Each structure stands twice: as C-alpha cells, then as structure tokens.
Amino acid sequence: MQQIFMEIMLMHMENKGVTRDSQHGFTKGKSCLTNLVASYGGVTVLVDKRRAVDVVYPDLCKAFDTVQHDILVSELERHEFDRWTTWWMRSWLNGRTQSVTVSCSVSNWRPVTSRVPQGSVLGPVLFNVFLSSMDSGIECTLSKFANNTKLSCVVNMLEGRDAVQRDLDRLEMWAHVNLMRLNTSKYKVLHMSQGNQKHKFKLGREWIESSPEEKDLGVLVDEKLKMTQQCALTAQKANHTLGCIKRSMDSRSREVILPHYSALVRPHLESCIQLWSPQHRKDIDLLEQVQKRATKIIRVLEHLSYENRLKELGLFSLEKRRLWGDFTEAFQYLKGACKKAGGLFSRTCSDRTKSNGFKLQEGRCRLDIRKKFFTMRLVRHCNRLPREVVDIPSLEVCKAGLDGTLSNLV
C-alpha cells in the first residue's frame, strides 16, 4: 500500500516541482556524489577566480524524529496533494503510541505526535516534502542531502557576508516555525581561498565556530580543498578492514579472499572517489598499496608481481578503476539518469570525421584544485574516446565498451 502511495506522490511531486533542485537525498538520479560534486564544483570555480567563499554547515537535532505530524500534513495540503492522499496520510501517521522499558519498569503508553516513520517506504518521501520549504527566501547556494545541509556564498564583499547572515537567520526562523531544533554546537564554517577575511557569523546569540576541515557525507573537506588527509584516512580504514579479513579467514584461496575484498575493502577506496580522487603521486601509491596487499594475501599469487597478480585475477589497478569510474559518472551526467543534477560539463559538438562528435570544452584554470577536479580532469580523456563508445545510448553497454578502450588512455 505504501508503495502505491509513494508512486502517486512522486508523480505529483515531479509535476508540481515539490522537491527542490537543492535536495539530492531520496531523489531519483541523485546521490551523495551528485551533491558533493555540484557543491564543491561551484566552490572550486569561485576559488579559481580569486573569490573568497564561506561554506556553512547547519545541523538539525534529530531531524527525522522531530517532524511534527500536523505540520507535515499541512505541508501536503500546501503542495496540493489530493484530499484522499492527505486523509490517508493523516490516518497512517495518527494513532501511534509508544512506551519505554527500563529493567523491569515500563512507562505508560503515550501518543506519538512527531517523527517520520524510519524504515518505511514513505518516510523519505514525506521528509523531502517537509524540507521543501527550507529553501524559501534563501539568497546563497543551499545544498541538501536529506537533512545534511550546506550553505555557500562568495564573501569578498559586504553584500555577500550580509546575505549569509540573513540566510542563517531565515534558517533559524524556519526551524522555529516548524518546531525543529538547531544544534548550534555542530554549526561550522569553512573559510576558503587565500585572502579570505574569515568573517564571523551568528546563529541567534551564538557565534559559529570556524573550522579548518569538515566531514561532509563521509568525505573530509579542508579549507584548501586538498584531499591528502582524506586519502590517508581512507587507506587506514581499508587496511584495518583488510587486516580483519586476513585474521578471521583460514582460507587464502582466490574464491574466499577476492569476494571479501571486493565487498568490504574496495568500497572504502571508491566511495565518492570522483570528488576526492588523489591529486599527488604519494596519495595514489598509498591507496594502490591497499590492493597490492590484498592480492598478495591470495595463496599461489604471492610470489608474482603486482601487474601479474592483477592479470591473473582479472582486476584493474585502482588508478585505472578511478578513470573508468570517472567515465561512467560523466556518461550519466551527460546522457543518463542524473543529467538533471546540474550542468557540470560544457559540450561542444563537432562534425569532423576524426572527432567523436561529442566534445567537451576545456576551460582554463589557474589552480590545481580546479584543474584536477572531476569535471575538468576528465575532459581530455573523454575527448579521446572513439565515436563508437561515445554514441552508445546505454550505460551498461558503455561500461563494456570502456573495458576495451581504457588501456589505450593510460
């Protein structure tokens, strides 16, 4: 029943534009990666142009648990959901009770008047409806992944700094009106670009603390947009997981070690890698060392060279996998499901016979943080792809075609 209602609600939300472009969570064609790439892609452009940028990270206390049912239903009515959908949703939310058990003591049953039911099919959809009003009146760039929120703005001039403060005041008012609580102790601001005056902002009566780095959707971002520390933390976590596998597995066969590495270790090394791809050789080698260690655990292969071990196992090096991942993500942005996530690439169509017919524009960059960003570092490689790969309409077929052509690009 929830699945049926979800399909109806999603259709209505798409037609009415209920879910804002700033929301990437629980949204078809968007993800943590699209959120991060869109947000920091814009930041790198501004920093490359010598603009000072401040990024504020607001935080809501127990966001899913404090959504008031009456306010949520009123949001459904405001967005013109039909009365039967609204009535069914009110009936579904009301009448819930809860009690608490501590040791042998049990509290009385109390009605539940707030909280989006987590683990339900409709929970994420309702939460997006509730958060849709957060964007109202916002002057700066607001980016959301569920309740994970970022507010960024150019602050070279007084007008920009005032705009950030006005938006913070609006967010505080929005939380007050919707009976949500802001966690002021977790509010942080990153001051990016040289020459940033590191202006102080207030949330209510509290000053927001400046931070040299902030963890955003699992990625450690610092004020210089360097990814060395993120690479080190990722390698440490992956090595720890690999060590657990080695200690807990008696068998060293390919059939045991390789699936565990692929399922438990490699995802650490590739989660949102398009954003934090290593920029220096020492970081590239640090990540590659994890896979070298993993392949050397497998019995019979330990005396072979790393290249021969990869060949025997049918694996790519992590460096080649990152390039392969860049291609597939770019394909989705340009042709696939997430092309609505923002115009991150500039295309220049060409009719020359030697061209692949789908060229990307190579912009001029001043700083390495922009030159090596996902949308820039991939342009040269994409423009060298053969026409038969570029013209493929299906992502799955494109992935298969890349396997055959990638060796000529590295």
Side-chain angles (χ1 to χ4, degrees), residues 364-400:
R364 293 183 179 181
C365 306
R366 184 175 60 89
L367 301 176
D368 282 346
I369 60 170
R370 181 58 187 166
K371 290 177 184 177
K372 296 180 180 180
F373 192 74
F374 166 57
T375 54
M376 299 304 297
R377 68 173 182 262
L378 191 62
V379 170
R380 178 172 54 88
H381 293 305
C382 272
N383 289 345
R384 292 168 57 191
L385 285 174
R387 180 182 287 270
E388 57 268 21
V389 174
V390 172
D391 290 342
I392 292 173
S394 166
L395 177 61
E396 294 304 318
V397 179
C398 179
K399 288 179 178 179

Side-chain angles (χ1 to χ4, degrees), residues 105-358:
S105 301
V106 182
S107 71
N108 294 327
W109 288 93
R110 301 294 299 274
V112 178
T113 59
S114 65
R115 185 176 180 269
V116 173
Q118 295 189 48
S120 62
V121 174
L122 287 172
V125 180
L126 293 174
F127 192 69
N128 274 355
V129 173
F130 179 79
L131 286 184
S132 61
S133 60
M134 182 185 282
D135 298 61
S136 299
I138 295 296
E139 301 174 55
C140 303
T141 301
L142 185 68
S143 180
K144 305 192 295 287
F145 186 87
N147 64 314
N148 186 291
T149 310
K150 294 182 287 291
L151 191 71
S152 60
C153 188
V154 177
V155 292
N156 291 80
M157 306 296 289
L158 179 62
E159 290 82 355
R161 297 191 288 270
D162 288 344
V164 174
Q165 187 59 63
R166 286 194 297 269
D167 284 349
L168 289 172
D169 295 339
R170 289 188 183 97
L171 290 178
E172 185 185 24
M173 180 58 68
W174 177 88
H176 176 74
V177 169
N178 290 279
L179 304 181
M180 305 287 284
R181 290 186 298 115
L182 299 175
N183 193 342
T184 55
S185 63
K186 290 188 177 181
Y187 263 58
K188 294 291 186 291
V189 56
L190 279 183
H191 303 286
M192 298 182 177
S193 184
Q194 292 183 350
N196 193 311
Q197 298 180 13
K198 298 187 177 182
H199 182 76
K200 293 285 187 179
F201 301 102
K202 294 184 72 174
L203 185 66
R205 297 180 180 180
E206 301 288 335
W207 291 102
I208 299 176
E209 294 184 9
S210 298
S211 174
E213 60 193 23
E214 187 69 17
K215 203 157 194 178
D216 188 3
L217 297 177
V219 178
L220 189 66
V221 180
D222 65 27
E223 57 191 1
K224 295 183 179 179
L225 291 172
K226 301 292 185 182
M227 296 301 169
T228 296
Q229 192 171 356
Q230 168 66 19
C231 292
L233 291 173
T234 300
Q236 183 183 33
K237 188 181 296 185
N239 275 319
H240 176 73
T241 306
L242 184 60
C244 291
I245 293 173
K246 186 177 180 181
R247 289 190 299 271
S248 59
M249 296 293 170
D250 290 332
S251 175
R252 295 289 185 268
S253 68
R254 174 188 310 189
E255 291 74 19
V256 172
I257 300 299
L258 189 57
H260 280 83
Y261 165 74
S262 301
L264 302 177
V265 179
R266 196 164 61 191
H268 289 303
L269 302 170
E270 297 181 340
S271 177
C272 295
I273 189 65
Q274 279 67 42
L275 177 74
W276 61 271
S277 183
Q279 301 170 354
H280 305 290
R281 175 48 58 181
K282 65 175 184 177
D283 297 329
I284 294 173
D285 293 340
L286 181 66
L287 297 181
E288 199 71 50
Q289 192 63 38
V290 179
Q291 183 162 274
K292 287 182 181 179
R293 182 185 170 204
T295 56
K296 204 167 186 177
I297 295 174
I298 299 174
R299 187 175 290 115
V300 181
L301 302 181
E302 59 264 36
H303 300 299
L304 298 178
S305 67
Y306 178 52
E307 290 73 18
N308 288 333
R309 293 200 300 270
L310 292 180
K311 187 175 181 180
E312 284 290 329
L313 296 170
L315 297 176
F316 283 155
S317 68
L318 292 180
E319 190 170 6
K320 182 179 276 190
R321 281 184 62 87
R322 284 193 293 272
L323 186 56
W324 186 89
D326 285 353
F327 280 133
T328 55
E329 288 298 330
F331 183 94
Q332 292 186 82
Y333 272 105
L334 293 166
K335 295 185 177 183
C338 65
K339 59 186 177 181
K340 294 182 179 180
L344 300 177
F345 296 94
S346 298
R347 295 181 295 179
T348 57
C349 295
S350 173
D351 295 327
R352 292 180 297 175
T353 56
K354 292 184 179 181
S355 167
N356 64 25
F358 201 74

Side-chain angles (χ1 to χ4, degrees), residues 65 69 93-99 110-116:
D65 293 335
H69 291 168
L93 291 171
N94 289 343
R96 298 173 182 267
T97 57
Q98 65 182 9
S99 69
R110 301 294 299 274
V112 178
T113 59
S114 65
R115 185 176 180 269
V116 173

